[in-house]
Amino acid sequence: MSLSEARFHDLVDETQEKLEDIFDDSDMDIDLEISAGVLTVKFENGSQLIFSRQEPLRQLWLAAVSGGFHFDYDEESERWMCDKSEEQLGEMLERIVKQQADVEFDFEGL
């Protein structure tokens, strides 16, 4: 069963807020910008992560140096899962942020 529009927006908003908190709580100089539902994370080395909502598909999209990834929300696990690899968003972010910005973050709970 597909997510309702309201539930989808609530889940994306909650996820973006968690991401903002994780990055804000770090000692790093990371710029965060949210505009029109798109969260942009800019690291010290100039690389970026961009999180956007794709309402018609009910997906959360991630753009990173290593590529673009699409996530569906899995109600059973209460996690965003990559539609290709079935990797959880938090697990993928730990790997991508380490590769891209050479820093370690704990994204458990995403």
Side-chain angles (χ1 to χ4, degrees), residues 19 23 31 33 38-43 46-51 62-67 93 96-97 100 107:
L19 287 165
F23 288 119
D31 292 327
E33 179 181 315
V38 176
L39 172 63
T40 303
V41 180
K42 297 178 184 176
F43 295 101
S47 68
Q48 300 181 74
L49 298 175
I50 301 170
F51 299 88
L62 166 63
V65 170
S66 57
L93 279 175
I96 287 174
V97 170
Q100 188 168 312
F107 294 101

Side-chain angles (χ1 to χ4, degrees), residues 7-76:
R7 174 113 170 99
F8 169 73
H9 284 291
D10 288 346
L11 289 166
V12 173
D13 290 344
E14 178 183 310
T15 301
Q16 288 182 336
E17 287 171 15
K18 285 180 184 176
L19 287 165
E20 286 181 273
D21 289 344
I22 290 168
F23 288 119
D24 278 340
D25 291 344
S26 76
D27 295 340
M28 300 190 59
D29 182 20
I30 298 174
D31 292 327
L32 301 173
E33 179 181 315
I34 193 152
S35 176
V38 176
L39 172 63
T40 303
V41 180
K42 297 178 184 176
F43 295 101
E44 292 178 14
N45 66 2
S47 68
Q48 300 181 74
L49 298 175
I50 301 170
F51 299 88
S52 61
R53 65 187 77 212
Q54 297 302 313
E55 187 177 324
L57 301 173
R58 301 293 196 265
Q59 289 184 324
L60 174 63
W61 286 10
L62 166 63
V65 170
S66 57
F69 305 94
H70 304 163
F71 295 86
D72 294 307
Y73 191 76
D74 179 63
E75 291 281 4
E76 188 175 318

